[in-house]
Amino acid sequence: MGLHNRGFRNIDLLLMPFKKRPERAVEFKHRPAQFEGPDPRSLAAFNGGKIIQYSEWRDVLDDYEWFLVCGSNLIEADFANSGRILNVHAGLIPSVRGLDSFKWAILNGMPLGNTLHKIDDRADAGEILFHLPTPVFPEDDLHTLARRHYENEIWMLINFDTLLDRREVLDLPEHEATMRMPIGVEADLIQAFETFKDSHAKQ
């Protein structure tokens, strides 16, 4: 919808096979519900686009300048390494990589932000195109900060073309990619938030 509102039309959607897994129990839900709202087919029709099955990616690869990741399963290496797939990762690559990046950044006292990057066959290690730090304010709680962080992620996807022209990239150290944060560790995250905020909040 954001792309539509910017004037983009004929937005085609490449759909992967999908099987909904049981919802994980978490102490803190840092992203809004991902399975509510219009069906992808309705979105494609609204934008004058069409649905393409993922199995056809080789046939259509040369028809598009960019593919935007709006959620996916594992992408085959040949497709991932095509240099055509853009993603916004919810962490500042290469320092904050992997799953639950928002949570791990706070727990580990790392800077918070999102990264527009080209994907390849490695975990959150493709060419970095733009870093957007997420501001932290003294009045924030975990929910307001998580919402701002998520909204920035979506804004970057919507404005990917303008960000490609700007190319603002931070000099950051590389760290290993993380796995899902265990629910037992999330209690530590909640306890660590005030310390994180004291260190990173804009005064």
Side-chain angles (χ1 to χ4, degrees):
M1 290 303 299
L3 288 168
H4 178 91
N5 292 339
R6 284 193 59 209
F8 283 80
R9 297 296 184 271
N10 302 317
I11 302 171
D12 298 334
L13 300 183
L14 184 69
L15 290 191
M16 287 186 141
F18 178 75
K19 182 177 181 180
K20 189 174 180 180
R21 296 182 176 91
E23 190 167 347
R24 294 172 60 248
V26 295
E27 290 284 347
F28 171 66
K29 192 171 184 178
H30 66 293
R31 298 173 73 82
Q34 302 292 302
F35 303 109
E36 298 175 359
D39 182 271
R41 291 163 183 81
S42 297
L43 286 174
F46 176 75
N47 285 293
K50 61 181 179 290
I51 293 295
I52 303 166
Q53 297 304 319
Y54 177 76
S55 59
E56 301 172 29
W57 71 261
R58 289 181 179 83
D59 299 328
V60 302
L61 180 62
D62 292 335
D63 296 340
Y64 298 92
E65 183 176 10
W66 299 113
F67 295 82
L68 299 180
V69 174
C70 300
S72 78
N73 297 325
L74 291 176
I75 298 173
E76 293 169 68
D78 287 350
F79 190 18
N81 291 326
S82 68
R84 302 272 184 94
I85 308 177
L86 300 179
N87 180 54
V88 176
H89 172 66
L92 293 174
I93 299 171
S95 288
V96 184
R97 302 165 49 220
L99 301 174
D100 283 347
S101 287
F102 174 83
K103 294 179 179 181
W104 286 112
I106 291 173
L107 182 65
N108 295 326
M110 304 288 288
L112 197 59
N114 292 284
T115 305
L116 176 68
H117 68 111
K118 292 181 183 179
I119 75 161
D120 59 21
D121 60 356
R122 301 166 296 163
D124 302 323
E127 180 185 354
I128 297 168
L129 304 169
F130 198 93
H131 280 134
L132 182 63
T134 301
V136 183
F137 298 101
E139 300 80 15
D140 275 327
D141 58 27
L142 268 172
H143 296 279
T144 60
L145 183 57
R147 184 69 190 185
R148 182 179 312 118
H149 187 71
Y150 177 76
E151 288 174 352
N152 282 353
E153 177 185 340
I154 301 306
W155 180 88
M156 292 178 78
L157 277 171
I158 294 168
N159 294 279
F160 75 97
D161 54 330
T162 62
L163 299 183
L164 288 175
D165 292 335
R166 289 167 56 186
R167 294 286 184 117
E168 295 180 15
V169 178
L170 304 172
D171 183 17
L172 300 169
E174 182 171 350
H175 297 289
E176 291 295 318
T178 55
M179 301 300 287
R180 287 281 180 210
M181 181 174 281
I183 190 168
V185 178
E186 285 195 54
D188 297 331
L189 160 74
I190 295 169
Q191 293 297 318
F193 177 68
E194 291 301 324
T195 300
F196 172 85
K197 190 166 65 170
D198 289 344
S199 299
H200 293 85
K202 294 181 178 295
Q203 300 297 328

